[in-house]
């Protein structure tokens, strides 16, 4: 039902939203007006970490809890803004003692532990570039990212280090490994606690130009290895304003972002934008489970919750009785990101929590939310909403010509907003190819309706979104052909009612090897270990041939159409 509307009556607005007149703000807002929301040094320079933490720690919010942390095994810790300032200062001093300089890359390969949060901030304070690596990555994924970024320092733990040990020999630029859970140095690694214990709590935060690099994240496209997306220090302005307007974060909120800092959401809205607003953030190290998640919402009195459609669908599937066992009345704003949020999910929020889920749309490349449903605005369930004030969004054809309402095309944004990627690490051409006719082309397709709401249709390329995580088919194919029984592989995202998509691989086996269930399992295990725990094909089909162009490129679009029983389209360029 595309014409259905959720009207924002008073009872759906438990608090006056920060953005209380969307149209008026949209029409008049310019980013420059918001510069005063940040603290600038006297020399007109900034530092994102200083804005996220130090300015709070030096003012009235000094002893306010910034981070409620709960470990996988139930250990609970609290950190005030002052704690985070001192810990990130110490960490910055540790890096300085190790010779880290402005622009060097410092990577974190960790589960959601406190060291990741203050380490990330401490890195920004030195002027170095912080990068994160999702803890499910295997050695191949790690190698590609650490090698491309030429990371100098890696912060990890004892368990994850075993994966790093296998590739360390081929990473000559990697100078030091810091272990967060080792009391003393061990086999070529230093103990972070030990280094921290001798470090000062005072640190002179690096004054950065607004466009100097702050952090980088690897993300996947259709072809080639993952690309290192670089964001500038000024990105925090976009994250701060969008956290205020779209997530409606206020300083007295207890906010839970369920995304991992290995992905952009966990950084933009798990560290930077939300702490910059002075809110308290909950971090749960453990895995997802419906009962545990409801328990956390209740126990920490979470007020604003930012999560993903796959999680919402799993919660829905767990039944409506379960949430009713918990007192969740504190929740006042619910948001979602990462994949299309079905209208059912939006409405289910309303049924269970009394408020609907608000969909938000953006990407690693965009640094922050670009299109969203705002608390003040009526929701059309299934729509991603309208552009954030300061963002000009359009639907354009492949030449960058804007299309009228109701026409499908590329979702595109006028360049120049503060969270926009600043470069793709060592791939300038790739970066430039993202812009056509003064539009940033997102790679997503959609349309805009007559009221200015944007609707998502799908990806323009073969990028897979499985349980909200972005996976490049090329990376999976490359890992598959490393398996001793595999000659060739083609990988697609196959629609799935819970996960959005699952990864499906079509595999040609070596002569004489017979396909079997055991071989499927064996290949899956191989991918989990070598590439990533989340990026393995849940389905594998053994085939004798793969559709290819004359130049030998596998045509995934053809595999996908066949899998879904759709018309195959033009096959004139195919060989087989
Ligand atoms: C998809 C995540 C539909 C989209 C912040 C985009 C969405 C990719 C939505 C970026 C949404 C994100 N509706 N699709 N609300 N939000 N996507 O880089 O395809 O991990 O291009 O950033 O996720 O994924 P990424």
């Amino acid at each position: 039902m595309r014409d259905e509307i959720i009207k924002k009556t008073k009872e759906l607005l438990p608090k006056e939203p920060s953005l209380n007149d969307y149209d008026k703000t949209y029409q008049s807002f310019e980013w420059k007006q918001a510069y005063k929301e940040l603290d600038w040094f006297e020399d007109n320079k900034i530092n994102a970490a200083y804005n996220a933490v130090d300015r709070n720690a030096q003012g009235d919010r000094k002893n306010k809890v910034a981070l409620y942390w709960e470990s996988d095994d139930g250990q609970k810790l609290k950190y005030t803004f002052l704690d985070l300032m001192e810990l990130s200062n110490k960490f910055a001093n540790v890096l300085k003692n190790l010779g880290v300089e402005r622009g060097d890359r410092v990577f974190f390969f960790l589960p959601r532990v406190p060291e990741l949060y203050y380490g990330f901030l401490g890195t920004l304070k030195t002027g170095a570039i912080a990068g994160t690596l999702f803890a499910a990555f295997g050695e191949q994924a790690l190698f590609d990212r650490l090698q491309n970024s030429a990371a100098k320092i890696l912060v990890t733990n004892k368990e994850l280090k075993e994966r790093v040990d296998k590739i360390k020999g081929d990473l000559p630029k990697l100078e030091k490994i810091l272990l967060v859970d080792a009391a003393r140095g061990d086999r070529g690694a230093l103990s972070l606690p030990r280094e921290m214990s001798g470090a000062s709590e005072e640190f002179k935060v690096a004054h950065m130009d607004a466009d100097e690099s702050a952090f980088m994240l690897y993300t996947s496209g259709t072809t080639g290895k993952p690309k290192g997306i670089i964001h500038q220090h000024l990105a925090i302005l976009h994250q701060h304003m969008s956290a205020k307007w779209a997530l409606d974060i206020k300083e007295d909120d207890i906010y839970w972002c369920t995304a991992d800092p290995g992905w952009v959401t966990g950084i933009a809205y798990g560290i930077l934008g939300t702490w910059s607003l002075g809110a308290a953030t909950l971090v749960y190290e453990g895995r997802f489970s419906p009962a545990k998640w409801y328990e956390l919402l209740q126990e920490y009195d979470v007020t604003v919750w930012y999560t993903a459609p796959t999680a919402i669908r799993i919660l829905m599937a767990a039944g409506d009785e379960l949430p009713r066992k918990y007192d969740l009345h504190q929740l006042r704003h619910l948001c979602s990101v990462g994949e299309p949020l079905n209208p059912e999910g939006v409405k289910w929020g309303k049924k269970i929590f009394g408020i609907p889920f608000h969909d938000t749309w953006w990407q690693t490349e965009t640094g922050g939310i670009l299109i969203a449903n705002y608390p003040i605005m009526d929701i059309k369930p299934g729509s991603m909403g309208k552009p954030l004030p300061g963002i000009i969004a359009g639907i354009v054809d492949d030449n960058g010509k804007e299309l009228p309402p109701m026409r499908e095309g590329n979702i595109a944004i006028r360049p120049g907003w503060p969270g926009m990627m600043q470069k793709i690490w060592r791939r300038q051409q790739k970066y430039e190819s993202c812009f056509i006719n003064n539009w940033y082309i997102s790679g997503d397709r959609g349309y805009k309706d007559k009221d200015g709401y944007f609707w998502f249709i799908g990806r323009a390329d073969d990028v897979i979104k499985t349980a909200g995580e972005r996976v490049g088919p090329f990376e999976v194919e490359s890992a598959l052909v490393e398996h001793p029984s595999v000659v060739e592989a083609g990988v697609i995202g196959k629609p799935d009612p819970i996960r959005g998509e699952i990864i499906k691989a079509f595999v040609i086996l070596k002569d004489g090897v017979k396909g079997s269930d055991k071989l499927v399992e064996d290949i899956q295990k191989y991918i989990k270990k070598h590439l990533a725990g989340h990026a393995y094909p849940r389905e594998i089909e053994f085939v004798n041939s793969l559709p290819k162009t004359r130049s030998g490129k596998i045509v995934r679009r053809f595999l996908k159409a066949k899998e879904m029983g759709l018309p195959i389209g033009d096959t004139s360029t195919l060989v087989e």
Side-chain angles (χ1 to χ4, degrees):
M1 287 279 289
R2 296 237 134 169
D3 34 352
E4 184 181 9
I5 286 195
I6 298 179
K7 286 261 171 220
K8 287 299 180 59
T9 53
K10 266 228 142 51
E11 81 235 27
L12 291 187
L13 279 178
K15 245 191 184 167
E16 169 81 8
S18 298
L19 179 67
N20 56 17
D21 188 336
Y22 171 80
D23 290 325
K24 199 168 141 211
T25 311
Y26 187 81
Q27 275 149 25
S28 63
F29 179 75
E30 278 174 44
W31 287 107
K32 281 260 179 238
Q33 297 165 2
Y35 278 29
K36 59 180 184 308
E37 299 253 342
L38 298 184
D39 278 24
W40 297 76
F41 302 119
E42 324 70 60
D43 51 5
N44 275 333
K45 304 212 176 202
I46 54 165
N47 191 296
Y50 179 87
N51 275 283
V53 167
D54 293 21
R55 61 166 168 172
N56 293 314
Q58 288 163 0
D60 296 346
R61 296 174 183 148
K62 182 174 171 178
N63 296 318
K64 185 174 183 292
V65 175
L67 171 63
Y68 290 98
W69 181 77
E70 183 166 327
S71 74
D72 202 9
D73 56 11
Q75 190 197 350
K76 292 171 193 172
L77 294 173
K78 276 187 221 172
Y79 297 82
T80 62
F81 280 106
L82 183 63
D83 293 335
L84 287 186
M85 177 173 92
E86 289 175 352
L87 287 163
S88 55
N89 280 350
K90 276 182 171 230
F91 187 88
N93 279 315
V94 169
L95 292 185
K96 279 284 173 199
N97 293 339
L98 295 175
V100 168
E101 290 174 14
R102 191 177 278 234
D104 283 345
R105 276 77 58 213
V106 174
F107 268 76
F108 296 83
F109 179 40
L110 285 171
R112 289 179 294 276
V113 291
E115 290 83 354
L116 168 57
Y117 294 82
Y118 64 71
F120 183 92
L121 292 160
T123 305
L124 265 54
K125 286 184 170 183
T126 66
I129 303 173
T132 55
L133 298 160
F134 190 43
F137 281 143
E139 65 237 33
Q140 185 64 48
L142 290 171
F143 178 76
D144 289 341
R145 289 154 176 84
L146 292 170
Q147 189 205 36
N148 179 263
S149 62
K152 190 166 180 176
I153 307 278
L154 179 70
V155 188
T156 186
N157 66 21
K158 286 194 274 192
E159 189 190 339
L160 295 175
K161 178 172 172 287
E162 289 179 19
R163 295 182 217 164
V164 182
D165 283 340
K166 298 201 185 115
I167 53 171
K168 209 172 52 182
D170 295 319
L171 294 167
K173 296 278 164 46
L174 183 60
E175 287 178 16
K176 287 280 180 316
I177 296 179
L178 287 163
L179 293 173
V180 300
D181 56 351
R184 58 193 67 239
D186 163 52
R187 285 183 300 137
L190 298 168
S191 151
L192 179 66
R194 204 179 176 125
E195 300 294 314
M196 292 273 289
S197 69
S200 160
E201 281 171 4
E202 306 282 327
F203 186 80
K204 189 171 173 321
V205 177
H207 292 197
M208 308 298 286
D209 287 327
D211 66 354
E212 266 182 284
S213 307
F215 66 96
M216 76 188 290
L217 274 162
Y218 277 85
T219 194
S220 308
T222 293
T223 53
K225 294 281 185 189
K227 358 172 232 181
I229 306 293
I230 305 267
H231 287 289
Q232 57 184 1
H233 275 263
L234 189 65
I236 195 169
L237 181 68
H238 177 191
Q239 293 149 355
H240 174 100
M241 292 311 293
S242 50
K244 181 170 177 169
W245 285 336
L247 307 181
D248 197 39
I249 305 258
K250 302 177 197 296
E251 73 162 328
D252 56 357
D253 276 313
I254 314 267
Y255 159 76
W256 188 22
C257 168
T258 61
D260 188 281
W263 311 114
V264 72
T265 311
I267 292 177
Y269 302 106
I271 301 180
L272 296 174
T274 39
W275 274 335
S276 170
L277 287 162
T281 292
L282 166 65
V283 170
Y284 173 54
E285 185 199 12
R287 292 174 74 96
F288 173 73
S289 107
K292 181 65 196 178
W293 274 30
Y294 290 131
E295 190 187 307
L296 291 165
L297 288 169
Q298 170 180 271
E299 183 179 340
Y300 291 90
D301 286 331
V302 173
T303 53
V304 179
W305 186 25
Y306 198 19
T307 190
T310 292
I312 297 169
R313 289 188 290 262
I314 296 176
L315 293 174
M316 284 169 74
D320 294 354
E321 283 314 303
L322 188 60
R324 298 210 160 106
K325 293 188 188 146
Y326 299 84
D327 176 4
L328 305 175
H329 79 276
Q330 300 280 3
L331 277 173
R332 68 165 186 89
H333 189 47
L334 312 176
C335 296
S336 162
V337 65
E339 20 157 2
L341 176 63
N342 339 32
E344 297 71 33
V346 176
K347 289 183 274 178
W348 180 77
K350 193 164 167 244
K351 177 164 116 194
I352 300 298
F353 309 107
I355 36 176
F357 274 100
H358 292 68
D359 193 13
T360 66
W361 175 88
W362 57 293
Q363 311 176 300
T364 307
E365 292 86 337
T366 75
I369 297 169
L370 297 182
I371 298 180
N373 290 281
Y374 309 93
I376 196 73
M377 196 174 85
D378 294 345
I379 296 181
K380 297 193 187 189
S383 161
M384 309 190 298
K386 294 190 184 184
L388 191 82
I391 298 296
I392 299 171
I395 301 291
V396 304
D397 68 12
D398 291 347
N399 300 316
K401 195 172 150 281
E402 200 168 357
L403 297 170
M406 301 314 285
R407 286 273 301 279
E408 175 182 341
N410 301 296
I411 303 176
I413 311 293
R414 277 266 184 251
W417 73 94
M420 185 178 95
M421 64 172 165
Q422 192 198 30
K423 53 187 168 195
I424 299 180
W425 187 251
R426 294 186 177 154
R427 287 176 73 183
Q428 185 57 19
Q429 256 186 339
K430 178 94 201 158
Y431 179 78
E432 282 161 18
S433 73
C434 300
F435 301 90
I436 299 176
N437 193 24
N438 198 25
W439 286 102
Y440 162 72
I441 308 292
S442 68
D444 283 359
R445 296 189 60 83
Y447 67 93
K448 183 166 95 166
D449 71 17
K450 294 199 169 72
D451 302 321
Y453 282 75
F454 282 75
W455 299 76
F456 178 83
I457 291 178
R459 284 291 301 186
D461 56 19
D462 300 328
V463 166
I464 299 168
K465 264 288 169 135
T466 179
E469 277 149 9
R470 184 163 160 186
V471 175
F474 179 79
E475 258 195 291
V476 185
E477 289 164 357
S478 308
L480 281 165
V481 297
E482 294 289 317
H483 186 278
S485 301
V486 176
V487 188
E488 274 189 285
V491 164
I492 61 161
K494 174 178 171 174
D496 180 82
I498 296 285
R499 293 190 163 79
E501 288 183 317
I502 55 157
I503 301 172
K504 169 151 189 178
F506 297 85
V507 165
I508 303 181
L509 293 173
K510 285 214 169 115
D511 265 353
V513 178
K514 270 195 69 180
S516 65
D517 290 349
K518 191 166 165 305
L519 185 56
V520 167
E521 258 174 56
D522 190 64
I523 296 175
Q524 287 173 331
K525 258 198 219 139
Y526 181 88
I527 301 295
K528 278 188 204 173
K529 183 157 179 287
H530 289 263
L531 183 64
H534 67 285
Y536 74 95
R538 282 178 187 262
E539 276 185 31
I540 295 180
E541 187 175 327
F542 299 116
V543 293
N544 295 321
S545 68
L546 287 167
K548 282 196 200 138
T549 60
R550 290 198 180 91
S551 58
K553 245 179 73 189
I554 294 169
V555 188
R556 304 189 189 103
R557 155 180 75 77
F558 183 92
L559 288 170
K560 191 154 179 171
K562 215 168 133 203
E563 176 68 31
M564 294 167 66
L566 295 170
I568 284 159
D570 181 12
T571 56
S572 60
T573 54
L574 299 188
V575 178
E576 291 166 47

